[in-house]
Short mmCIF file of all heavy atoms in Angstrom, two decimals:
data_model
loop_
_atom_site.label_atom_id
_atom_site.label_comp_id
_atom_site.label_asym_id
_atom_site.label_seq_id
_atom_site.Cartn_x
_atom_site.Cartn_y
_atom_site.Cartn_z
N GLY A 310 12.71 -23.54 0.28
CA GLY A 310 13.65 -24.25 1.10
C GLY A 310 15.02 -23.74 0.71
O GLY A 310 15.20 -22.69 0.05
N THR A 311 16.05 -24.36 1.34
CA THR A 311 17.42 -23.96 1.21
C THR A 311 18.38 -24.86 0.30
O THR A 311 19.56 -24.56 0.32
CB THR A 311 18.10 -23.62 2.50
OG1 THR A 311 18.04 -25.00 3.25
CG2 THR A 311 17.20 -22.63 3.30
N ASP A 312 17.86 -25.97 -0.17
CA ASP A 312 18.78 -26.89 -0.83
C ASP A 312 19.54 -26.35 -1.99
O ASP A 312 20.79 -26.57 -2.15
CB ASP A 312 17.89 -28.09 -1.28
CG ASP A 312 17.28 -28.95 -0.17
OD1 ASP A 312 17.82 -28.71 0.93
OD2 ASP A 312 16.29 -29.69 -0.48
N GLU A 313 18.79 -25.57 -2.88
CA GLU A 313 19.52 -25.10 -4.00
C GLU A 313 20.60 -24.01 -3.64
O GLU A 313 21.65 -24.03 -4.19
CB GLU A 313 18.53 -24.40 -4.94
CG GLU A 313 17.57 -25.40 -5.62
CD GLU A 313 16.69 -24.67 -6.62
OE1 GLU A 313 16.96 -23.80 -7.32
OE2 GLU A 313 15.46 -25.00 -6.50
N GLU A 314 20.28 -23.29 -2.66
CA GLU A 314 21.22 -22.29 -2.21
C GLU A 314 22.35 -22.84 -1.51
O GLU A 314 23.54 -22.29 -1.71
CB GLU A 314 20.50 -21.27 -1.14
CG GLU A 314 19.30 -20.50 -1.81
CD GLU A 314 18.54 -19.72 -0.83
OE1 GLU A 314 18.74 -19.92 0.35
OE2 GLU A 314 17.46 -19.05 -1.28
N GLU A 315 22.19 -23.90 -0.77
CA GLU A 315 23.21 -24.49 0.04
C GLU A 315 24.18 -25.22 -0.94
O GLU A 315 25.48 -25.21 -0.90
CB GLU A 315 22.82 -25.52 0.93
CG GLU A 315 22.07 -24.90 2.25
CD GLU A 315 21.47 -25.93 3.12
OE1 GLU A 315 21.41 -27.13 2.78
OE2 GLU A 315 20.93 -25.48 4.22
N ALA A 316 23.60 -25.84 -2.08
CA ALA A 316 24.41 -26.48 -3.15
C ALA A 316 25.24 -25.34 -3.83
O ALA A 316 26.43 -25.62 -4.06
CB ALA A 316 23.58 -27.17 -4.09
N ALA A 317 24.68 -24.24 -4.21
CA ALA A 317 25.41 -23.12 -4.85
C ALA A 317 26.54 -22.71 -3.88
O ALA A 317 27.65 -22.32 -4.30
CB ALA A 317 24.50 -22.14 -5.20
N ALA A 318 26.28 -22.58 -2.53
CA ALA A 318 27.29 -22.13 -1.66
C ALA A 318 28.51 -23.00 -1.68
O ALA A 318 29.69 -22.71 -1.60
CB ALA A 318 26.68 -21.87 -0.34
N LEU A 319 28.13 -24.34 -1.61
CA LEU A 319 29.27 -25.32 -1.59
C LEU A 319 30.08 -25.31 -2.82
O LEU A 319 31.27 -25.71 -2.83
CB LEU A 319 28.71 -26.79 -1.48
CG LEU A 319 27.91 -27.11 -0.01
CD1 LEU A 319 27.27 -28.44 -0.06
CD2 LEU A 319 29.05 -26.97 1.05
N MET A 320 29.53 -24.90 -3.98
CA MET A 320 30.23 -24.83 -5.25
C MET A 320 31.10 -23.46 -5.38
O MET A 320 31.68 -23.29 -6.34
CB MET A 320 29.26 -24.94 -6.37
CG MET A 320 28.57 -26.27 -6.44
SD MET A 320 27.30 -26.42 -7.71
CE MET A 320 28.32 -26.18 -9.22
N GLY A 321 30.87 -22.64 -4.33
CA GLY A 321 31.73 -21.43 -4.20
C GLY A 321 31.09 -20.23 -4.70
O GLY A 321 31.73 -19.14 -4.79
N ALA A 322 29.78 -20.30 -4.89
CA ALA A 322 29.08 -19.04 -5.32
C ALA A 322 28.89 -18.02 -4.11
O ALA A 322 28.77 -18.39 -3.02
CB ALA A 322 27.66 -19.38 -5.73
#
Side-chain angles (χ1 to χ4, degrees):
T311 60
D312 293 343
E313 295 181 42
E314 296 169 357
E315 291 174 356
L319 290 173
M320 295 175 65

